[in-house]
Amino acid sequence: MTPLRFVILAILIFLAYRLLIGAFKKNQDGGKKQKTVKNDGPVNDVLVEDPVCHTLIPRKQAIHLQYQGEMVYFCSEKCCNTFIEQGEKK
Ligand SMILES: [Zn+2]
C-alpha cells in the first residue's frame, strides 16, 4: 500500500466516523435543546418593573440607573427622566 492510498483511506475512515458522530450528536442535541431552553429561559428573561409606568421589561433590555445605591430599571429613557425629575422634586 502506498502512503497516499493510506492517507486517503484514513480520510475516508475519518469522514465516516465524523458522519456517525454527527448523526449521534444531532439526536443528543435534540434532547439537550429542550433542557437548555428551560434552564436559560428564566435567567435571560428576568423581568424588572419600571417604577414610573409599572411595565415589566426583560432586564437585558431595560435602561438601568443607579439611584441611592439601588439599581432601578426603566422601559425607556423617558421613564428614566421622569423618575429622576420626580426624585428631584421630593
Ligand atoms: Zn416606563
Side-chain angles (χ1 to χ4, degrees):
M1 197 186 263
T2 61
L4 187 69
R5 281 188 80 182
F6 180 75
V7 168
I8 289 165
L9 192 75
I11 288 167
L12 279 172
I13 290 166
F14 175 73
L15 285 175
Y17 175 76
R18 279 199 64 176
L19 231 108
L20 274 169
I21 294 292
F24 183 67
K25 267 194 176 178
K26 262 185 192 173
N27 290 336
Q28 269 198 331
D29 286 349
K32 271 184 184 176
K33 259 184 188 176
Q34 287 183 326
K35 276 184 185 174
T36 44
V37 166
K38 274 182 187 173
N39 290 339
D40 292 352
V43 179
N44 288 333
D45 292 303
V46 176
L47 290 175
V48 285
E49 195 183 343
D50 183 322
V52 178
C53 66
H54 302 282
T55 304
L56 291 171
I57 339 110
R59 194 155 70 183
K60 272 189 177 178
Q61 290 171 34
I63 291 164
H64 45 271
L65 171 78
Q66 190 90 27
Y67 185 78
Q68 293 179 347
E70 274 185 60
M71 218 35 151
V72 195
Y73 299 92
F74 304 95
C75 69
S76 65
E77 273 185 52
K78 202 180 161 187
C79 284
C80 181
N81 291 332
T82 308
F83 182 82
I84 293 164
E85 279 169 26
Q86 281 179 348
E88 280 170 355
K89 275 177 193 170
K90 276 173 191 174

